[in-house]
Amino acid sequence: MALNKDAVGTASLLIEVPPYWEEAKIELMKRDRIMKKLIPQFGDLHLVGHPDPFTTLARSVVGQQVTNKAADAAWAKLMIVCPKITPAQVIKAGAEQLSACGLSKRKTEYILDLADHFKAKRVHANQWAEMADEAVIAELVQIRGITRWTAEMFLIFNLLRPNVLPLDDPGLIHGISHNYFSGEPVSRSDAREVSANWEPWRTVATWYLWRSLDPVPVE
């Protein structure tokens, strides 16, 4: 799965520095020798969140299993057809116009199903901010095309949850391998063991591992 992890909804207004970011940086640098070296390399850079739930989810579906370049191209075309990326606009556009943006038949179906869930209020987007991480994930994965990975990206980039560990994310696993195991293969068990030292700031540590592989965030 490919996702430009700093451009998950570029149509949305950007949120400022997450309120926990500075505290998390200090704690991670105290506890973890790798984070102590890694975090200072990126100065004032930080996670950029995107506040619109539908846009964030739609962008992540577009980005699944394709390169960032292909996802960006399809998203740019989608924004021409649906400038505000609202559920109503997507439904009005219909399958034919969405497919013409470069989306596969399956992704077109996923985006339309996502829009239908939002329009019919079959998801409780207005309650997600108060819900626990696993409760939000459980609701999101009921939507076609929304995997646990997609839901975890949503927790990170829309809800700005501080302690998400997306074990299905290749970038996280690669980052742990590169920084902690000298490039050796890493299992999910290895990743969990390393991440135990990051609690309750696993989102922040994950973001810095992404940056270690791709230093310049794309907004």
Side-chain angles (χ1 to χ4, degrees):
M1 299 175 184
L3 175 69
N4 186 329
K5 297 180 179 68
D6 296 281
V8 184
T10 48
S12 305
L13 294 174
L14 299 181
I15 294 173
E16 295 300 316
V17 184
Y20 52 79
W21 201 258
E22 289 304 315
E23 179 185 356
K25 284 167 60 176
I26 291 168
E27 286 295 316
L28 287 169
M29 286 190 289
K30 281 182 183 176
R31 297 180 200 169
D32 188 295
R33 62 183 179 82
I34 300 298
M35 289 293 154
K36 185 176 181 180
K37 293 188 296 183
L38 192 58
I39 289 172
Q41 295 176 28
F42 299 99
D44 295 329
L45 293 179
H46 58 83
L47 170 67
V48 175
H50 302 278
D52 180 68
F54 179 74
T55 302
T56 306
L57 289 166
R59 181 66 179 85
S60 63
V61 170
V62 169
Q64 287 176 2
Q65 298 179 327
V66 296
T67 65
N68 288 339
K69 184 177 180 180
D72 290 344
W75 187 253
K77 292 176 182 176
L78 183 61
M79 288 185 65
I80 295 171
V81 174
C82 307
K84 295 182 180 178
I85 314 289
T86 63
Q89 278 189 350
V90 168
I91 291 169
K92 185 178 179 181
E96 190 173 333
Q97 285 198 75
L98 295 179
S99 294
C101 296
L103 300 179
S104 66
K105 182 176 185 292
R106 182 169 292 179
K107 282 190 184 178
T108 296
E109 292 171 353
Y110 291 166
I111 294 285
L112 286 170
D113 189 55
L114 176 67
D116 187 59
H117 270 77
F118 270 76
K119 190 173 182 183
K121 299 190 185 303
R122 291 202 298 275
V123 291
H124 306 94
N126 61 335
Q127 298 175 27
W128 286 338
E130 284 74 48
M131 289 166 62
D133 290 358
E134 288 300 326
V136 176
I137 289 171
E139 183 162 304
L140 285 173
V141 296
Q142 300 305 310
I143 304 171
R144 289 184 67 197
I146 303 294
T147 63
R148 182 177 179 88
W149 174 85
T150 311
E152 288 170 337
M153 293 301 106
F154 181 81
L155 290 176
I156 292 172
F157 288 100
N158 181 267
L159 297 178
L160 299 179
R161 296 295 170 87
N163 198 33
V164 179
L165 184 73
L167 289 172
D168 293 325
D169 186 75
L172 170 63
I173 299 301
H174 185 193
I176 291 174
S177 169
H178 177 73
N179 289 282
Y180 290 84
F181 292 88
S182 302
E184 293 295 317
V186 171
S187 68
R188 292 167 72 93
S189 178
D190 293 331
R192 284 195 188 93
E193 187 174 340
V194 169
S195 71
N197 209 28
W198 304 337
E199 298 262 12
W201 313 115
R202 294 183 299 178
T203 294
V204 181
T206 296
W207 187 89
Y208 280 105
L209 291 177
W210 285 337
R211 293 282 64 76
S212 75
L213 305 174
D214 182 14
V216 182
V218 179
E219 297 181 2

